[in-house]
Amino acid sequence: MSRINQKIAQKYSELGENPESYLEGLLHSKPINYWDYIGVETLLSLQRPRTNFKDEEIFIMYHQMTELLLKMLLHEIKQLVETDSFSEEIWLDKINRMNRYVSMLINSFDIMKDGMDYEDYNRFRTALAPASGFQSVQFRYIEIYCTKLENLVKQEEKKQLPGSPSTEDYFENIYWKKAGINKKTGDKTLTMLQFEEKYLDSLITLAKKVKGQSLEEQFLMLKKPSEALQKKLLEFDKLYNIEWPLVHLNTAQHYLDKKGENKAATGGSEWKKYLHPKFQQRKFFPSLWTKEDSLVEDKIKI
Protein backbone atom coordinates (compact mmCIF):
# COMPACT_ATOMS: atom_id res chain seq x y z
CA MET A 1 0.00 0.00 0.00
CA SER A 2 2.84 2.40 0.76
CA ARG A 3 4.05 2.17 -2.87
CA ILE A 4 0.57 2.98 -4.18
CA ASN A 5 0.24 5.85 -1.70
CA GLN A 6 3.54 7.25 -2.92
CA LYS A 7 2.38 7.10 -6.54
CA ILE A 8 -0.90 8.80 -5.67
CA ALA A 9 0.96 11.51 -3.75
CA GLN A 10 3.34 12.01 -6.70
CA LYS A 11 0.46 12.18 -9.20
CA TYR A 12 -1.36 14.98 -7.41
CA SER A 13 1.80 16.80 -6.36
CA GLU A 14 2.80 17.00 -10.05
CA LEU A 15 -0.62 18.56 -10.73
CA GLY A 16 0.02 21.12 -8.02
CA GLU A 17 -2.68 19.62 -5.81
CA ASN A 18 -2.74 18.41 -2.22
CA PRO A 19 -2.88 14.56 -2.30
CA GLU A 20 -4.52 14.41 1.14
CA SER A 21 -7.58 16.31 -0.12
CA TYR A 22 -8.15 13.71 -2.83
CA LEU A 23 -7.56 10.79 -0.46
CA GLU A 24 -10.03 12.26 2.02
CA GLY A 25 -12.53 12.71 -0.81
CA LEU A 26 -12.10 9.03 -1.69
CA LEU A 27 -12.80 8.15 1.94
CA HIS A 28 -16.19 9.88 1.76
CA SER A 29 -17.15 8.81 -1.78
CA LYS A 30 -19.85 6.20 -2.34
CA PRO A 31 -18.82 2.96 -4.08
CA ILE A 32 -19.70 3.03 -7.78
CA ASN A 33 -22.41 0.74 -9.07
CA TYR A 34 -23.33 -0.53 -12.55
CA TRP A 35 -26.58 1.39 -13.00
CA ASP A 36 -25.05 4.78 -12.17
CA TYR A 37 -21.86 4.19 -14.15
CA ILE A 38 -23.74 3.11 -17.30
CA GLY A 39 -26.61 5.52 -16.68
CA VAL A 40 -29.10 2.70 -17.11
CA GLU A 41 -32.16 4.53 -15.79
CA THR A 42 -31.44 7.59 -17.96
CA LEU A 43 -30.77 5.40 -20.98
CA LEU A 44 -34.02 3.49 -20.57
CA SER A 45 -35.98 6.72 -20.22
CA LEU A 46 -34.91 8.06 -23.62
CA GLN A 47 -37.58 6.24 -25.64
CA ARG A 48 -40.52 8.59 -26.13
CA PRO A 49 -42.93 7.24 -28.77
CA ARG A 50 -45.28 9.66 -30.53
CA THR A 51 -48.02 7.03 -31.02
CA ASN A 52 -49.50 4.09 -29.11
CA PHE A 53 -48.14 1.46 -31.51
CA LYS A 54 -45.91 -0.84 -29.47
CA ASP A 55 -43.25 -1.37 -32.16
CA GLU A 56 -42.50 2.33 -32.38
CA GLU A 57 -40.40 1.86 -29.24
CA ILE A 58 -38.39 -0.84 -31.06
CA PHE A 59 -37.90 1.61 -33.94
CA ILE A 60 -36.59 4.29 -31.56
CA MET A 61 -34.27 1.94 -29.66
CA TYR A 62 -32.81 0.55 -32.86
CA HIS A 63 -31.93 4.01 -34.12
CA GLN A 64 -30.44 4.91 -30.75
CA MET A 65 -28.28 1.78 -30.99
CA THR A 66 -27.23 2.92 -34.46
CA GLU A 67 -26.18 6.32 -33.16
CA LEU A 68 -24.12 4.68 -30.41
CA LEU A 69 -22.36 2.48 -32.97
CA LEU A 70 -21.67 5.55 -35.10
CA LYS A 71 -20.18 7.22 -32.04
CA MET A 72 -17.95 4.16 -31.51
CA LEU A 73 -16.84 4.45 -35.15
CA LEU A 74 -16.05 8.13 -34.69
CA HIS A 75 -14.11 7.30 -31.53
CA GLU A 76 -11.67 5.14 -33.53
CA ILE A 77 -11.54 7.33 -36.66
CA LYS A 78 -10.75 10.49 -34.71
CA GLN A 79 -7.77 8.84 -33.06
CA LEU A 80 -6.26 7.95 -36.43
CA VAL A 81 -7.02 11.36 -37.91
CA GLU A 82 -5.85 13.46 -34.98
CA THR A 83 -2.58 11.59 -34.33
CA ASP A 84 0.03 11.07 -37.04
CA SER A 85 2.43 8.86 -35.12
CA PHE A 86 0.50 5.59 -35.00
CA SER A 87 2.22 2.42 -36.14
CA GLU A 88 0.66 0.22 -38.79
CA GLU A 89 -0.14 -2.29 -36.06
CA ILE A 90 -2.33 0.29 -34.35
CA TRP A 91 -3.92 1.25 -37.68
CA LEU A 92 -4.88 -2.39 -38.22
CA ASP A 93 -6.30 -2.65 -34.71
CA LYS A 94 -8.42 0.50 -35.13
CA ILE A 95 -9.70 -0.49 -38.59
CA ASN A 96 -10.58 -3.98 -37.37
CA ARG A 97 -12.64 -2.33 -34.65
CA MET A 98 -14.30 -0.08 -37.24
CA ASN A 99 -15.15 -3.07 -39.42
CA ARG A 100 -16.70 -4.86 -36.45
CA TYR A 101 -18.89 -1.86 -35.67
CA VAL A 102 -20.10 -1.54 -39.28
CA SER A 103 -20.69 -5.31 -39.42
CA MET A 104 -22.89 -4.91 -36.35
CA LEU A 105 -24.84 -2.18 -38.16
CA ILE A 106 -25.30 -4.46 -41.16
CA ASN A 107 -26.17 -7.64 -39.28
CA SER A 108 -28.55 -5.90 -36.89
CA PHE A 109 -30.84 -4.59 -39.63
CA ASP A 110 -33.04 -7.68 -39.32
CA ILE A 111 -34.29 -6.06 -36.11
CA MET A 112 -35.84 -3.42 -38.36
CA LYS A 113 -36.77 -5.65 -41.28
CA ASP A 114 -38.29 -8.60 -39.42
CA GLY A 115 -38.80 -7.23 -35.93
CA MET A 116 -41.71 -4.84 -36.42
CA ASP A 117 -45.32 -5.37 -37.40
CA TYR A 118 -45.73 -4.33 -41.04
CA GLU A 119 -49.09 -2.59 -40.66
CA ASP A 120 -48.18 -0.90 -37.37
CA TYR A 121 -44.92 0.44 -38.79
CA ASN A 122 -46.68 1.93 -41.79
CA ARG A 123 -49.09 3.67 -39.43
CA PHE A 124 -46.73 5.10 -36.84
CA ARG A 125 -44.17 6.23 -39.43
CA THR A 126 -46.68 8.80 -40.68
CA ALA A 127 -46.34 10.58 -37.34
CA LEU A 128 -42.57 10.95 -37.80
CA ALA A 129 -42.41 13.28 -40.82
CA PRO A 130 -40.28 15.25 -41.54
CA ALA A 131 -37.77 13.47 -39.28
CA SER A 132 -35.47 11.14 -41.21
CA GLY A 133 -32.30 9.11 -40.76
CA PHE A 134 -30.98 11.53 -43.38
CA GLN A 135 -30.63 13.95 -40.45
CA SER A 136 -28.03 11.82 -38.63
CA VAL A 137 -25.15 14.26 -38.28
CA GLN A 138 -22.75 11.58 -37.02
CA PHE A 139 -23.08 9.90 -40.41
CA ARG A 140 -21.92 13.15 -42.04
CA TYR A 141 -19.11 13.61 -39.51
CA ILE A 142 -17.79 10.16 -40.38
CA GLU A 143 -17.76 11.04 -44.09
CA ILE A 144 -15.80 14.23 -43.41
CA TYR A 145 -13.30 12.51 -41.15
CA CYS A 146 -12.81 9.64 -43.58
CA THR A 147 -12.19 11.26 -46.95
CA LYS A 148 -11.55 14.40 -48.96
CA LEU A 149 -14.63 16.49 -49.73
CA GLU A 150 -14.10 16.01 -53.45
CA ASN A 151 -14.88 12.31 -52.96
CA LEU A 152 -18.31 13.27 -51.63
CA VAL A 153 -19.27 15.07 -54.83
CA LYS A 154 -20.72 12.96 -57.63
CA GLN A 155 -18.89 12.96 -60.95
CA GLU A 156 -21.61 14.90 -62.77
CA GLU A 157 -21.74 17.52 -59.99
CA LYS A 158 -17.96 18.11 -60.11
CA LYS A 159 -18.49 19.92 -63.43
CA GLN A 160 -20.28 22.67 -61.52
CA LEU A 161 -17.36 23.32 -59.19
CA PRO A 162 -15.09 26.34 -59.78
CA GLY A 163 -11.39 25.89 -60.53
CA SER A 164 -10.27 26.07 -56.91
CA PRO A 165 -13.34 24.99 -54.91
CA SER A 166 -13.79 26.27 -51.38
CA THR A 167 -15.23 24.15 -48.60
CA GLU A 168 -18.53 25.94 -49.10
CA ASP A 169 -18.44 25.14 -52.85
CA TYR A 170 -18.08 21.45 -52.07
CA PHE A 171 -20.99 21.56 -49.65
CA GLU A 172 -23.20 23.25 -52.24
CA ASN A 173 -22.62 20.24 -54.50
CA ILE A 174 -22.19 17.41 -51.98
CA TYR A 175 -23.96 14.19 -52.98
CA TRP A 176 -26.66 14.23 -50.27
CA LYS A 177 -27.97 17.69 -51.21
CA LYS A 178 -30.13 16.28 -54.04
CA ALA A 179 -31.91 13.95 -51.62
CA GLY A 180 -33.17 17.03 -49.79
CA ILE A 181 -34.69 18.77 -52.81
CA ASN A 182 -38.36 18.58 -53.72
CA LYS A 183 -38.24 17.37 -57.32
CA LYS A 184 -41.52 19.09 -58.27
CA THR A 185 -40.75 22.54 -56.86
CA GLY A 186 -36.95 22.55 -56.78
CA ASP A 187 -37.10 23.82 -53.18
CA LYS A 188 -35.34 22.30 -50.20
CA THR A 189 -37.50 19.94 -48.16
CA LEU A 190 -38.30 20.74 -44.55
CA THR A 191 -36.08 17.78 -43.61
CA MET A 192 -33.12 19.46 -45.32
CA LEU A 193 -33.93 22.93 -43.99
CA GLN A 194 -34.05 21.61 -40.41
CA PHE A 195 -30.80 19.70 -40.86
CA GLU A 196 -28.88 22.61 -42.39
CA GLU A 197 -30.14 25.07 -39.80
CA LYS A 198 -28.90 22.87 -36.97
CA TYR A 199 -25.75 21.32 -38.39
CA LEU A 200 -24.43 22.90 -41.61
CA ASP A 201 -22.13 25.39 -39.83
CA SER A 202 -20.62 22.64 -37.68
CA LEU A 203 -20.09 20.41 -40.73
CA ILE A 204 -18.29 23.17 -42.63
CA THR A 205 -16.18 24.02 -39.56
CA LEU A 206 -15.19 20.36 -39.15
CA ALA A 207 -14.36 20.03 -42.86
CA LYS A 208 -12.03 23.01 -42.65
CA LYS A 209 -10.40 21.63 -39.53
CA VAL A 210 -9.86 18.17 -41.03
CA LYS A 211 -8.75 19.41 -44.47
CA GLY A 212 -5.50 17.66 -45.40
CA GLN A 213 -5.80 15.30 -42.42
CA SER A 214 -8.72 13.03 -43.29
CA LEU A 215 -8.31 9.31 -42.81
CA GLU A 216 -7.76 8.89 -46.54
CA GLU A 217 -5.04 11.57 -46.55
CA GLN A 218 -3.41 10.14 -43.42
CA PHE A 219 -3.33 6.76 -45.14
CA LEU A 220 -1.80 8.22 -48.32
CA MET A 221 1.01 9.68 -46.21
CA LEU A 222 1.97 6.26 -44.83
CA LYS A 223 5.20 4.90 -46.28
CA LYS A 224 4.68 1.55 -48.01
CA PRO A 225 1.44 0.47 -46.29
CA SER A 226 1.12 -3.30 -46.18
CA GLU A 227 -1.29 -5.26 -48.34
CA ALA A 228 -3.09 -6.32 -45.14
CA LEU A 229 -3.75 -2.68 -44.21
CA GLN A 230 -4.96 -1.82 -47.70
CA LYS A 231 -7.34 -4.80 -47.68
CA LYS A 232 -8.79 -3.80 -44.31
CA LEU A 233 -9.36 -0.21 -45.41
CA LEU A 234 -11.03 -1.38 -48.62
CA GLU A 235 -13.16 -3.75 -46.55
CA PHE A 236 -14.27 -0.83 -44.37
CA ASP A 237 -15.04 1.23 -47.47
CA LYS A 238 -17.20 -1.51 -48.96
CA LEU A 239 -18.95 -2.35 -45.70
CA TYR A 240 -19.82 1.26 -44.92
CA ASN A 241 -20.53 2.56 -48.41
CA ILE A 242 -22.06 -0.47 -50.15
CA GLU A 243 -23.18 -3.24 -47.80
CA TRP A 244 -24.76 -1.03 -45.14
CA PRO A 245 -26.70 1.19 -47.58
CA LEU A 246 -27.93 -1.95 -49.36
CA VAL A 247 -29.40 -3.55 -46.23
CA HIS A 248 -31.00 -0.21 -45.43
CA LEU A 249 -32.45 -0.11 -48.94
CA ASN A 250 -33.74 -3.69 -48.65
CA THR A 251 -35.44 -2.86 -45.35
CA ALA A 252 -37.03 0.26 -46.82
CA GLN A 253 -38.29 -1.81 -49.76
CA HIS A 254 -39.79 -4.32 -47.33
CA TYR A 255 -41.92 -1.66 -45.66
CA LEU A 256 -42.42 0.96 -48.36
CA ASP A 257 -42.61 -1.08 -51.54
CA LYS A 258 -43.60 -4.59 -50.45
CA LYS A 259 -47.09 -4.36 -51.90
CA GLY A 260 -46.13 -2.22 -54.87
CA GLU A 261 -47.37 0.91 -53.12
CA ASN A 262 -44.07 2.83 -53.44
CA LYS A 263 -44.69 4.88 -50.27
CA ALA A 264 -42.73 8.09 -49.72
CA ALA A 265 -39.93 8.33 -47.16
CA THR A 266 -40.67 10.43 -44.07
CA GLY A 267 -38.00 12.89 -45.18
CA GLY A 268 -39.50 13.16 -48.67
CA SER A 269 -36.44 11.83 -50.54
CA GLU A 270 -36.52 9.45 -53.50
CA TRP A 271 -35.40 6.70 -51.17
CA LYS A 272 -34.83 4.03 -53.84
CA LYS A 273 -32.22 6.23 -55.49
CA TYR A 274 -30.83 7.98 -52.43
CA LEU A 275 -30.12 4.80 -50.45
CA HIS A 276 -28.48 3.03 -53.37
CA PRO A 277 -24.64 3.06 -53.61
CA LYS A 278 -24.93 3.94 -57.31
CA PHE A 279 -26.67 7.18 -56.41
CA GLN A 280 -24.35 8.06 -53.55
CA GLN A 281 -21.13 7.19 -55.44
CA ARG A 282 -19.31 7.39 -52.12
CA LYS A 283 -15.80 5.98 -51.81
CA PHE A 284 -13.55 6.92 -48.92
CA PHE A 285 -10.38 5.40 -50.41
CA PRO A 286 -10.79 5.55 -54.22
CA SER A 287 -7.13 4.72 -54.80
CA LEU A 288 -7.73 1.24 -53.33
CA TRP A 289 -10.60 0.39 -55.67
CA THR A 290 -9.73 -1.74 -58.68
CA LYS A 291 -11.72 -1.85 -61.91
CA GLU A 292 -13.10 -5.21 -60.76
CA ASP A 293 -14.33 -3.67 -57.51
CA SER A 294 -16.11 -0.90 -59.39
CA LEU A 295 -17.65 -3.37 -61.84
CA VAL A 296 -19.15 -5.34 -58.94
CA GLU A 297 -20.65 -2.10 -57.61
CA ASP A 298 -22.05 -1.20 -61.04
CA LYS A 299 -23.87 -4.54 -61.31
CA ILE A 300 -25.92 -3.93 -58.17
CA LYS A 301 -29.49 -3.36 -59.32
CA ILE A 302 -31.62 -0.46 -58.17
Side-chain angles (χ1 to χ4, degrees), residues 171-187:
F171 271 93
E172 278 302 309
N173 295 277
I174 204 161
Y175 79 94
W176 44 262
K177 277 291 181 84
K178 275 197 172 180
I181 300 294
N182 184 311
K183 205 172 180 183
K184 292 180 181 178
T185 65
D187 297 329

Side-chain angles (χ1 to χ4, degrees), residues 91-131:
W91 267 76
L92 282 167
D93 176 61
K94 298 292 183 192
I95 296 160
N96 278 327
R97 293 185 189 190
M98 290 156 56
N99 287 346
R100 281 195 290 271
Y101 302 150
V102 183
S103 294
M104 287 177 70
L105 287 168
I106 293 167
N107 296 329
S108 66
F109 240 104
D110 284 348
I111 293 172
M112 284 278 287
K113 182 173 176 291
D114 301 317
M116 294 188 297
D117 181 85
Y118 178 86
E119 299 297 339
D120 285 358
Y121 169 76
N122 277 296
R123 290 190 185 101
F124 75 68
R125 65 180 290 275
T126 61
L128 308 183

Side-chain angles (χ1 to χ4, degrees), residues 2 18 67 101 155 204 224 253 267 276 286:
S2 59
N18 181 357
E67 291 295 334
Y101 302 150
Q155 287 302 319
I204 290 174
K224 297 181 180 179
Q253 286 176 326
H276 202 286

Side-chain angles (χ1 to χ4, degrees), residues 7-273:
K7 287 187 174 183
I8 291 173
Q10 182 181 354
K11 172 184 174 179
Y12 289 108
S13 295
E14 289 174 354
L15 293 171
E17 296 290 306
N18 181 357
E20 289 187 5
S21 297
Y22 287 87
L23 288 171
E24 185 175 353
L26 182 62
L27 178 66
H28 299 304
S29 297
K30 295 178 181 178
I32 188 112
N33 54 60
Y34 174 81
W35 49 92
D36 285 337
Y37 180 66
I38 302 299
V40 173
E41 292 177 4
T42 300
L43 187 63
L44 299 183
S45 72
L46 296 177
Q47 296 76 49
R48 294 185 286 272
R50 293 173 61 85
T51 72
N52 290 320
F53 294 104
K54 300 301 181 185
D55 283 348
E56 187 187 350
E57 199 162 6
I58 297 295
F59 183 83
I60 295 170
M61 286 187 283
Y62 181 76
H63 283 82
Q64 289 174 340
M65 287 166 50
T66 297
E67 291 295 334
L68 286 172
L69 283 165
L70 291 177
K71 186 172 182 179
M72 292 166 78
L73 261 173
L74 275 167
H75 177 75
E76 307 300 339
I77 293 168
K78 284 164 136 182
Q79 290 177 67
L80 290 172
V81 166
E82 294 171 0
T83 307
D84 57 7
S85 59
F86 279 143
S87 67
E88 185 167 299
E89 182 181 2
I90 293 176
W91 267 76
L92 282 167
D93 176 61
K94 298 292 183 192
I95 296 160
N96 278 327
R97 293 185 189 190
M98 290 156 56
N99 287 346
R100 281 195 290 271
Y101 302 150
V102 183
S103 294
M104 287 177 70
L105 287 168
I106 293 167
N107 296 329
S108 66
F109 240 104
D110 284 348
I111 293 172
M112 284 278 287
K113 182 173 176 291
D114 301 317
M116 294 188 297
D117 181 85
Y118 178 86
E119 299 297 339
D120 285 358
Y121 169 76
N122 277 296
R123 290 190 185 101
F124 75 68
R125 65 180 290 275
T126 61
L128 308 183
S132 167
F134 174 93
Q135 295 175 318
S136 171
V137 74
Q138 288 198 108
F139 193 93
R140 308 297 170 208
Y141 288 156
I142 288 170
E143 293 176 336
I144 292 169
Y145 271 112
C146 278
T147 197
K148 291 177 285 196
L149 284 180
E150 65 190 64
N151 295 332
L152 301 176
V153 177
K154 297 167 67 175
Q155 287 302 319
E156 55 266 36
E157 307 299 331
K158 286 181 180 178
K159 298 173 186 175
Q160 300 180 32
L161 292 170
S164 299
S166 65
T167 300
E168 288 79 4
D169 290 328
Y170 280 122
F171 271 93
E172 278 302 309
N173 295 277
I174 204 161
Y175 79 94
W176 44 262
K177 277 291 181 84
K178 275 197 172 180
I181 300 294
N182 184 311
K183 205 172 180 183
K184 292 180 181 178
T185 65
D187 297 329
K188 291 180 181 179
T189 62
L190 181 55
T191 301
M192 174 66 86
L193 290 170
Q194 287 179 334
F195 180 73
E196 287 191 333
E197 182 181 2
K198 185 166 180 63
Y199 291 122
L200 185 58
D201 287 346
S202 71
L203 289 168
I204 290 174
T205 299
L206 177 64
K208 289 179 177 179
K209 175 185 173 184
V210 176
K211 186 177 180 180
Q213 297 178 302
S214 68
L215 194 58
E216 178 202 11
E217 291 162 298
Q218 294 280 11
F219 165 71
L220 291 173
M221 286 189 284
L222 293 176
K223 294 180 179 179
K224 297 181 180 179
S226 69
E227 186 177 345
L229 178 57
Q230 294 179 62
K231 283 184 176 179
K232 286 295 179 182
L233 279 171
L234 182 58
E235 180 185 351
F236 170 65
D237 212 347
K238 290 180 177 180
L239 286 172
Y240 194 85
N241 291 322
I242 294 183
E243 299 300 328
W244 191 32
L246 280 177
V247 296
H248 194 171
L249 175 62
N250 290 336
T251 300
Q253 286 176 326
H254 172 75
Y255 286 108
L256 305 183
D257 207 22
K258 183 178 180 181
K259 299 181 180 180
E261 296 167 298
N262 194 20
K263 302 182 186 76
T266 52
S269 68
E270 291 185 87
W271 56 270
K272 286 185 183 180
K273 286 186 176 180

